[in-house]
Amino acid sequence: ILCFLRSFEYSQKNAILVPVAALGVGGMLVYWLRSRRKIQTIEMGDGWWGSGERPLKGKEDESIRPFKIVTSDKEIEDLHRRLDQARYTPHVEGAAFHYGFNSSYLQKVVAYWRNQFDWRKQVEVLNKYPHFHTTIEGIDIHFIHVKPSYVPHGKAVQPLLMVHGWPGSFYEFYKIIPLLTEPARHGLNEGDVVFEVICPSIPGYGFSEAPHQQGFDSIATARIFHKLMSRLGFKEYYLQGGDWGSRVTTNMAQMLPQCVKGLHLNVVFVTKQGLGRLISIMLGAYMPWLVGLSREDARRVYPFMQKNVYDVLRESGYLHIQATKPDTAGCGLNDSPVGLAAYILEKFSTWTDKSFLHKDDGGLENKYTLDELLTNVMIYWVTSSIVSSMRYYKENFSKDPSLTAHSRCSVHVPTGIAAFPQEILHTPRTWVKDVYKNIITYSYMPRGGHFAAFEEPKLLAQDIMQFVRKVEQL
């Protein structure tokens, strides 16, 4: 432009054209830069998961209906009859949990289940929080909604949606809910934020109706849960999840970031591949600082093949079955409460602590009570939901076998990560940043495994509060 000005005489015409041209070029440059920074989102879309064709006329019933868990003599008698008729295979001597659920300990669990476990009492425990049903996209969605009984003066109540995974349920959050809704009463800092907590059951799990159509994946779940929060009157809210709940809440943040004040996860699966990651892994074993790994990252990641290949292969046989032919294996589990308990509780052993593999009782009662464990199993049993819960793997993996497609859509909402040391896989912060671009907190938790809210509710509650407090100060 300066050369142009020097080359021509200053006429009135040129005095107008030059700044106009400069503004035009500058405007195009600004537009190009802004377009490059545009946040990519997952399209929300719509769906229908009810039986048969979607009705052409009529609006869906959007009412929120109170729901209560009930049981009956017939239900309990049927369970007892099946427990009495169970057959067992003697375990290999010295096998502990290396072959799966130890049959000697299984007989002890079943004996407790048959003679001491009180399902009616546990139903009362489950009903201590308000339960609801609402119909979204043709299926009934179950959720609990717990509000604080007391809110300190000047404190805003933050809505928090918490999403479970497999083989868990909404019951996983029963110990953490009072810590979040009434922190001062449970020895947490009175200055901490106060939450009202919404815990839905993923469709096909527990008391949420199973989808009747093929293709129900985490994207559909994310959309339904956004609709649920909107139906409850929330425009902005926090999200928290682990296992499938981590993927669902991540998809929610990718779908409607304007509604998500913050995303807190206790497990992150970032499966970026390529030469760069391979070089990072190789160099990290010798010079972790060079590739952005902390000393604690190195301790949790290496030896790499043992912790990220062999251990994962040992723990993921169920995944291949459920991602391919879930209905076949599910038939036996849906018919046998003993088989169902062995299948589910084995995960609560080694996913809580890898060393429990070497214990004859799987270390199950080190962190949980049998009442807690069997209550979670009963939620699957009385709803006949094990098969539909297993289908969730097929629906997600058939569309995205490596579960990496959605990683190409970055997450820009404020994000907090609680990295528990006994988690199946450890994802260092430098790897998390490949997808989650706005990390506010990343905590190396001192203890705990995959079922964080169930096992270490106070640690998880404190980390959620620390994260939300920082987000609110931004």
Side-chain angles (χ1 to χ4, degrees), residues 39 54 60 72 99 109 124 145 197 249 257 284 287 296 311 320-321 339 361 385 389 397 404 415 422 424:
I39 295 175
R54 187 173 200 162
E60 188 168 70
S72 65
Y99 284 68
V109 172
E124 291 179 8
H145 186 181
V197 180
T249 53
M287 296 177 288
E296 182 63 17
D311 287 353
H320 187 78
I321 293 172
D361 62 358
S385 60
S389 75
F397 280 91
T404 58
T415 302
Q422 290 294 330
I424 301 167

Side-chain angles (χ1 to χ4, degrees), residues 130-360:
H131 293 250
F132 302 91
H133 266 159
T134 190
T135 305
I136 304 178
E137 299 188 5
I139 53 177
D140 284 346
I141 306 302
H142 163 260
F143 64 98
I144 57 174
H145 186 181
V146 187
K147 300 179 181 181
S149 59
Y150 167 74
V151 180
H153 179 70
K155 284 291 176 185
V157 178
Q158 302 293 344
L160 173 65
L161 180 81
M162 305 187 78
V163 184
H164 65 87
W166 187 93
S169 65
F170 66 92
Y171 178 60
E172 285 181 70
F173 302 117
Y174 267 50
K175 288 186 279 189
I176 198 173
I177 285 173
L179 306 183
L180 297 170
T181 56
E182 300 174 314
R185 183 177 292 184
H186 293 87
L188 298 179
N189 190 337
E190 291 190 30
D192 281 326
V193 292
V194 178
F195 297 94
E196 59 178 297
V197 180
I198 301 93
C199 299
S201 294
I202 295 173
Y205 288 70
F207 298 99
S208 275
E209 185 177 354
H212 298 269
Q213 310 294 329
Q214 296 181 38
F216 188 86
D217 59 3
S218 62
I219 296 292
T221 313
R223 181 178 63 245
I224 282 177
F225 288 172
H226 270 308
K227 289 182 177 181
L228 170 63
M229 295 300 279
S230 175
R231 192 169 292 184
L232 292 173
F234 300 115
K235 294 182 179 179
E236 291 184 313
Y237 32 88
Y238 285 93
L239 306 174
Q240 202 286 325
D243 195 86
W244 279 122
S246 172
R247 183 171 171 90
V248 170
T249 53
T250 293
N251 290 161
M252 291 178 74
Q254 294 166 322
M255 186 177 288
L256 293 178
Q258 68 272 22
C259 294
V260 180
K261 296 184 73 174
L263 170 67
H264 186 278
L265 308 172
N266 57 274
V267 60
V268 179
F269 298 111
V270 176
T271 52
K272 182 179 178 181
Q273 301 169 349
L275 182 61
R277 177 54 55 83
L278 179 61
I279 293 173
S280 173
I281 291 169
M282 294 173 65
L283 289 176
Y286 304 99
M287 296 177 288
W289 51 270
L290 189 63
V291 292
L293 300 182
S294 69
R295 188 172 298 178
E296 182 63 17
D297 287 328
R299 192 182 71 81
R300 296 187 184 190
V301 168
Y302 299 100
F304 187 84
M305 290 299 291
Q306 179 64 50
K307 293 187 176 181
N308 296 270
V309 179
Y310 302 140
D311 287 353
V312 172
L313 284 173
R314 184 191 67 222
E315 295 300 327
S316 59
Y318 79 98
L319 188 150
H320 187 78
I321 293 172
Q322 294 177 192
T324 52
K325 303 290 181 66
D327 286 34
T328 303
C331 286
L333 301 179
N334 195 46
D335 189 59
S336 167
V338 176
L340 180 67
Y343 195 73
I344 288 177
L345 296 187
E346 183 249 311
K347 305 308 178 192
F348 279 87
S349 169
T350 47
W351 292 5
T352 295
D353 191 317
K354 299 176 185 71
S355 70
F356 288 172
L357 195 71
H358 309 298
K359 294 179 176 289
D360 290 339

